[in-house]
Amino acid sequence: MPIFTVANLTAIKKNRFFYALLGLSLLAGALVFFNPPDPITSVPEGKETLEGIDVSNHQGYIEWERIDQNQVNFVFMKATEGETFTDKSFRSNWEAAEDAGFLRGAYHFYREESSGKDQAEHFIDVVPKDAYAMPPVVDVELLAADGEAFIKELKVFLTTLEDHYGQKPLIYCNRATYDAYIKDNFQDYGLWYADYNSPPPIEGWLFWQFTDSGNVEGIEGPVDFNQYSGTREELLALADFKD
């Protein structure tokens, strides 16, 4: 028969306290793991043409709760530019758009002056890994003095982001940058093409920026509008976050 001394009883109490704390910690972790994100309500069922906007600090304060989600089904927002610039509205837009139920993604404006690695690290510092966000986007709309070096560094940028976020980035381009850099070097990336006169003259585009003068209640002034090429299910699948 075991003999219960004061030391034994103290040890038992300590063990019980330890296992109680351990159990609470595991329970809390499970609740966090299984707690789903806020629902995405901006991609309605049955809508044939899915359209969205892209915004930055140029749009000023956005009243996300006033935006009609039958009109705006997704949103891309500027996060960073170059090696050091951060859009001052990104954090508030990122959080408010999620709270309002928008499917959202972040983009980086790429510049020749900085290395691809440095620009990627800056983007990673600013844009969190976020469940159910669309893949990161690199905005390539400026022609470079050294095209060969530009392509090399852009590949580093894209690879770094894919390694970090577990999602293959998308590339935003216009006719000039598509012909100069994208067409022959980045065929396996999803494309977001800007053309305000006609649909993209390329196959396989995902998004088409068709105007820079759209109007949305909740946003003062003009805003870019974009069309998605696929179905509702395919659009939501873009946000299938991988850790």
Side-chain angles (χ1 to χ4, degrees), residues 68-140:
D68 182 358
Q69 293 188 354
N70 287 313
Q71 179 188 19
V72 177
N73 309 129
F74 57 87
V75 57
F76 289 103
M77 54 194 71
K78 184 174 183 178
T80 52
E81 178 175 336
E83 185 181 350
T84 59
F85 178 83
T86 300
D87 189 280
K88 66 181 182 180
S89 296
F90 171 70
R91 178 59 62 180
S92 59
N93 281 336
W94 188 252
E95 294 174 354
E98 180 185 33
D99 291 342
F102 283 93
L103 179 65
R104 76 223 195 287
Y107 75 87
H108 172 84
F109 191 95
Y110 194 88
R111 305 199 68 92
E112 179 186 15
E113 297 84 358
S114 303
S115 73
K117 185 71 172 178
D118 288 342
Q119 293 189 65
E121 289 177 350
H122 177 43
F123 183 88
I124 288 169
D125 285 342
V126 172
V127 180
K129 284 185 177 181
D130 203 317
Y132 304 106
M134 290 186 288
V137 179
V138 57
D139 180 336
V140 183

Side-chain angles (χ1 to χ4, degrees), residues 37-44 47 50-55 62-77 92-106 130-134 216-219 223-225 235-236 239:
D38 292 334
I40 293 172
T41 57
S42 67
V43 192
K47 189 176 181 194
L50 297 167
E51 295 183 346
I53 58 176
D54 57 276
V55 300
I62 297 175
E63 297 178 85
W64 291 97
E65 69 282 357
R66 292 182 57 203
I67 297 177
D68 182 358
Q69 293 188 354
N70 287 313
Q71 179 188 19
V72 177
N73 309 129
F74 57 87
V75 57
F76 289 103
M77 54 194 71
S92 59
N93 281 336
W94 188 252
E95 294 174 354
E98 180 185 33
D99 291 342
F102 283 93
L103 179 65
R104 76 223 195 287
D130 203 317
Y132 304 106
M134 290 186 288
V216 176
E217 184 176 358
I219 301 178
V223 62
D224 299 338
F225 256 87
L235 178 59
L236 288 172

